C-alpha cells in the first residue's frame, strides 16, 4: 500500500501519528515524517489516519 | 430510489444487510456515517439527504484560510472513500419530519422515504442575537456561503468589524480579520476573558494578551443591547451604554441543534438528540446519531450525556454508530458488537500565529488549572484537573507546545473513568 501525504497541505497537527504510529511520526522540530511504502496489514490504521487529518492531506494509493 | 415510499424490510435475524439506511444531514458526519456503514458490512442501500447544495466540505478553514482568501472553496471538499461510491446523495433537500414508529422520513420536496435504519447527522446552526436593529451587515459563519458573504464585506477599505462572542469561532474570525488588514476589529463578550468557559482564566488571560498585542480590541464584561443603523448596521449598542461603530458584525454566540424534524417521536431533544452509550436514539436499534448533534455519555468521564462540537467527533461517532446500527439491523448483538463509546475528545484552533491544541475535556477541570510545561508568555501546556485527576490538557503556542501536550495525551488515555 502506497501512502502519499501532500506536504503543501500538512500543518503538523500530528493526529495521524496517534492513529498510525508505525507509519507517521513527528521529528524533533514537530515536522511530519512517514513511511510511503506501508505494510498492507496497517491499512485500517492508515485509513483512520487519513480520516483524522484536519487538512485531508493523506491519500492511500492501491 | 426515486419513488415515493421506498425501502424493503430489513433482513433482521438473518444476518443479511438488505434494505435502506437513510442518513439525515449531508456534511462531515453524514459522509463519515455512509463510509462507516460500508466498513461495518452494510451492503444494502444508503441514501444521504442534505439540505446544503454542496457535497460535504471541511468547515474549520471557513473562519481561517477561506476567510483570509488563502484556501479556494474548491479545496474544501472531502473525497468520499471508494467503498461509499454507490451511496445516493440527495442534496438541496431537507428532512422535515420523521415517524420513527413507521420508519419513514418526510422531505421538503413532498416525498417520503421508508428506511430500515436511520442516522441523525443534522448538526447545528448558529444561534442568532434577538435584539432590536437592522439585519443587513450581520453575519454568522457556519457554511461555505456564509464565509463567502462575509469575506466579500471585509475586503473593502477602512472596514470596522465587531465580533459578538469571544469563543473559538469569534476569536478565529477576529484573528483572520486582522490578518486580512481589516482596519478595526473589536470582540464583545459578557464574560471577562476570551474562551474562558472551556479553557479557564489562566489561558483566557494569556489569549487576551496575545490577541491585543496583534491588534484585536476587546469590549469584555458587557453584552449587546441592540444594533444601530437604518436598513444596514452602523453600530453595536452595548449593555453598558457604549456604542461601537461597525460596518460589519459577526455573531458567534453559540449554536442550536437541527432537531425540529424529530419532534413528535417522544425523544429527548433538549440539546441535540440524546443517545445511549452506543449512540442509539430513543432506545431503538434502528436509529443512531453522529456528529455535533449527538448528546452522548462518554464512558471515559462521568456518564453525563453531552454534545461535543469538535471536528474529530463526526469521525469518532460515525465509526461507533455505524457498527451499532448494522448490528441492530442484522440481528447481531448490538450490546456486544461495538462496546460503550469512550472517545478522547480533541480539538485545535488556529489564531494569528499560534495554535491551541486540546486533548480530553478541559471544561470538566477548570477549577484546578496548572501549568504543566513552559509558561503563559511563550509556549505553554496547561493541565485541567478534577478531584486530583488530570482530565484535559491544552497546548498554546507553536509545534513544541503541541509535541509536549501529546506526551500528556498518553496519560489522559490511561486515566481511569471518572465516577458519576
Ligand atoms: C467556522 C467553523 C470553524 C470550525 N473550526 C474548528 C476547528 O478549528 N477545530 C475543531 O475541532 N472544530 C472546528 N469546527 C467544528 C467542526 O467543523 C464541527 O464539529 C463539524 O463540522 C460537525 O460536523 P457535523 O456533520 O456533525 O455537523 P454539520 O457540519 O453542522 O452538518 C450538518 C449538516 O446537516 C444539514 N442539515 C441540517 N438540518 C437538516 C435537515 N433537516 N435535513 C437535511 N439536512 C440538514 C446541515 O445543513 C449541514 O450540512 C468548526 C466549525 C465551524 C462552523
Amino acid at each position: 500500500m502506497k501512502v502519499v501525504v501532500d506536504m503543501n497541505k500538512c500543518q503538523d497537527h500530528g493526529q495521524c501519528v496517534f492513529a498510525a504510529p508505525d507509519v507517521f511520526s513527528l521529528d524533533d522540530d514537530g515536522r511530519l515524517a512517514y513511511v510511503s511504502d506501508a505494510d498492507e496489514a496497517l491499512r485500517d490504521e492508515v485509513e483512520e489516519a487519513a480520516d483524522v487529518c484536519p487538512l485531508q492531506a493523506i491519500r492511500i494509493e492501491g | 430510489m426515486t419513488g415515493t415510499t421506498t425501502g424493503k424490510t430489513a433482513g433482521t435475524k438473518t444476518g443479511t444487510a438488505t434494505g435502506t439506511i437513510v442518513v439525515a444531514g449531508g456534511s462531515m458526519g453524514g459522509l463519515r456515517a455512509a463510509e462507516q456503514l460500508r466498513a461495518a458490512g452494510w451492503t444494502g442501500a444508503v441514501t444521504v439527504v442534505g439540505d446544503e447544495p454542496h457535497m460535504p466540505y471541511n468547515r474549520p478553514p471557513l473562519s481561517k484560510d477561506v476567510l483570509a482568501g488563502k484556501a479556494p472553496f474548491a479545496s474544501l471538499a472531502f473525497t468520499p472513500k471508494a467503498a461509499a461510491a454507490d451511496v445516493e446523495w440527495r442534496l438541496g433537500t431537507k428532512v422535515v419530519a420523521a415517524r420513527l414508529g413507521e420508519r419513514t422520513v418526510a422531505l421538503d420536496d413532498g416525498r417520503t422515504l421508508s428506511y430500515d435504519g436511520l442516522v441523525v447527522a443534522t448538526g447545528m446552526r448558529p444561534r442568532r442575537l434577538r435584539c432590536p436593529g437592522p439585519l443587513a451587515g450581520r453575519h454568522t459563519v457556519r457554511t461555505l456561503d456564509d464565509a463567502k458573504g462575509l469575506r466579500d464585506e471585509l475586503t473593502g477599505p477602512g472596514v470596522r468589524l465587531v465580533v459578538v462572542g469571544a469563543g473559538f469561532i469569534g476569536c478565529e474570525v477576529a484573528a483572520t480579520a486582522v490578518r486580512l488588514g481589516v482596519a478595526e476589529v473589536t470582540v464583545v463578550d459578557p464574560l471577562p476573558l476570551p474562551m474562558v468557559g472551556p479553557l479557564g482564566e489562566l489561558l483566557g488571560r494569556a489569549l487576551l494578551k496575545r490577541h491585543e498585542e496583534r491588534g484585536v480590541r476587546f469590549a469584555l464584561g458587557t453584552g449587546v443591547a441592540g444594533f444601530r443603523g437604518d436598513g444596514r448596521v452602523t453600530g453595536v449598542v452595548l449593555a453598558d451604554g457604549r456604542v461601537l461603530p461597525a460596518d460589519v458584525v459577526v455573531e458567534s454566540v453559540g449554536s442550536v441543534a437541527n432537531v425540529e424534524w424529530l419532534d413528535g417521536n417522544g425523544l429527548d431533544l433538549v440539546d441535540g438528540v440524546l443517545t445511549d452509550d452506543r449512540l442509539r436514539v430513543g432506545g431503538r436499534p434502528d436509529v443512531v446519531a453522529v456528529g455535533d448533534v449527538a448528546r452522548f455519555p462518554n464512558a471515559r468521564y462521568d456518564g453525563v450525556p453531552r454534545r461535543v462540537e469538535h471536528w474529530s467527533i463526526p469521525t469518532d461517532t460515525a465509526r461507533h454508530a455505524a457498527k451499532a446500527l448494522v448490528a441492530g439491523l442484522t440481528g447481531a448483538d448490538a450490546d456486544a458488537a461495538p462496546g460503550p463509546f469512550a472517545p478522547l475528545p480533541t480539538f485545535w484552533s488556529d489564531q494569528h500565529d499560534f495554535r491551541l491544541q486540546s486533548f480530553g475535556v478541559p471544561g470538566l477541570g477548570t477549577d484546578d488549572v496548572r501549568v504543566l510545561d513552559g509558561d503563559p508568555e511563550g509556549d505553554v501546556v496547561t493541565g485541567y484537573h478534577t478531584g486530583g485527576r488530570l482530565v484535559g490538557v491544552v497546548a498554546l503556542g507553536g509545534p513544541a507546545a503541541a509535541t509536549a501536550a501529546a506526551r500528556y495525551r498518553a496519560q489522559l488515555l490511561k486515566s481511569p473513568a471518572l465516577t458519576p
Side-chain angles (χ1 to χ4, degrees):
Chain A
M1 164 182 49
K2 193 160 179 281
V3 181
V4 184
V5 181
D6 183 339
M7 294 306 280
N8 292 323
K9 284 190 183 167
C10 175
Q11 290 182 9
D12 307 304
H13 279 262
Q15 294 293 332
C16 56
V17 180
F18 304 133
D22 295 327
V23 177
F24 302 94
S25 57
L26 292 177
D27 67 18
D28 291 340
D29 301 323
R31 304 280 165 230
L32 184 73
Y34 69 101
V35 182
S36 59
D37 190 11
D39 195 305
E40 188 55 37
L42 298 172
R43 182 173 287 270
D44 280 357
E45 282 180 30
V46 178
E47 280 195 0
E48 189 172 338
D51 283 355
V52 299
C53 170
L55 283 303
Q56 297 292 289
I58 301 172
R59 246 182 24 248
I60 304 168
E61 289 178 358
Chain B
M1 282 296 303
T2 47
T4 39
T5 304
T6 50
K8 291 161 271 177
T9 311
T12 29
K13 307 284 182 272
T14 62
T16 58
T18 56
T20 298
I21 294 177
V22 169
V23 179
S27 181
M28 188 186 189
L31 171 64
R32 292 291 182 244
E35 291 173 341
Q36 291 302 324
L37 286 167
R38 290 287 179 248
W42 179 256
T43 52
V46 176
T47 301
V48 183
V49 184
D51 64 359
E52 287 185 77
H54 314 284
M55 280 297 279
Y57 57 87
N58 207 14
R59 292 190 201 281
L62 298 179
S63 50
K64 310 171 187 93
D65 285 354
V66 170
L67 203 55
K70 288 185 52 176
F73 293 119
S75 70
L76 303 187
F78 288 107
T79 310
K81 286 195 181 47
D86 59 350
V87 166
E88 187 196 356
W89 291 85
R90 292 209 185 181
L91 300 177
T93 307
K94 191 170 181 161
V95 180
V96 291
R99 292 184 179 199
L100 303 190
E102 290 166 21
R103 290 195 271 174
T104 61
V105 289
L107 311 183
D108 65 352
D109 61 8
R111 295 210 166 108
T112 299
L113 298 181
S114 291
Y115 65 76
D116 300 287
L118 176 66
V119 179
V120 177
T122 41
M124 315 295 290
R125 60 179 179 269
R127 195 162 77 77
R128 297 304 306 249
L129 288 167
R130 287 173 190 269
C131 44
L135 278 170
R138 287 162 57 186
H139 296 256
T140 57
V141 189
R142 182 85 200 174
T143 67
L144 256 172
D145 302 318
D146 293 345
K148 199 167 182 297
L150 175 59
R151 183 176 157 68
D152 288 347
E153 289 210 333
L154 286 182
T155 41
V159 171
R160 292 162 305 179
L161 168 69
V162 172
V163 178
V164 186
F168 292 99
I169 290 179
C171 286
E172 287 176 5
V173 167
T176 308
V178 166
R179 182 162 147 200
L180 254 179
V182 172
E184 267 179 41
V185 180
T186 310
V187 180
V188 179
D189 201 297
L191 294 174
L193 291 168
M195 294 165 272
V196 66
L199 298 184
E201 278 179 39
L202 188 119
L203 273 194
R205 269 194 299 277
L207 287 162
L208 176 64
K209 183 156 182 274
R210 280 172 211 232
H211 275 282
E212 285 181 335
E213 283 168 358
R214 288 160 179 79
V216 179
R217 305 172 195 194
F218 285 85
L220 296 168
T222 182
V224 170
F227 295 94
R228 285 261 165 93
D230 189 12
R232 193 194 151 87
V233 73
T234 58
V236 180
V237 185
L238 302 184
D240 66 11
R242 278 182 290 165
V243 179
L244 303 174
D247 307 297
V248 182
V249 170
V250 172
E251 295 174 25
S252 51
V253 292
S255 45
V256 180
N258 296 316
V259 290
E260 291 80 359
W261 62 279
L262 285 166
D263 279 346
N265 290 289
L267 300 176
D268 180 340
L269 303 174
V270 169
D271 175 27
V273 58
L274 178 67
T275 78
D276 66 11
D277 63 2
R278 266 79 175 172
L279 297 159
R280 291 173 301 203
V281 172
R284 310 181 63 98
D286 58 344
V287 185
V288 293
V290 306
D292 281 3
V293 75
R295 179 158 49 98
F296 60 87
N298 187 338
R300 194 176 285 285
Y301 300 100
D302 51 9
V304 176
R306 295 185 183 89
R307 287 188 315 93
V308 182
E309 288 182 51
H310 299 348
W311 186 89
S312 59
I313 288 297
T315 302
D316 286 350
T317 48
R319 246 171 236 281
H320 221 82
K323 284 187 196 137
L325 183 57
V326 172
L329 296 182
T330 56
D333 183 354
D335 283 318
F341 187 50
L344 182 75
T346 176
F347 74 83
W348 81 97
S349 177
D350 287 320
Q351 303 173 15
H352 305 284
D353 50 350
F354 56 83
R355 175 175 293 162
L356 284 155
Q357 175 70 62
S358 165
F359 299 107
V361 188
L364 285 179
T366 41
D367 301 344
D368 181 5
V369 184
R370 280 172 255 152
V371 170
L372 300 176
D373 247 300
D375 76 277
E377 298 289 316
D379 283 359
V380 62
V381 181
T382 310
Y384 297 75
H385 306 76
T386 184
R389 169 115 38 86
L390 184 70
V391 288
V393 168
V394 178
L396 166 60
T403 310
R407 287 202 302 273
Y408 293 100
R409 177 182 178 274
Q411 195 178 325
L412 287 166
L413 278 170
K414 273 184 258 147
S415 280
L418 290 178
T419 36

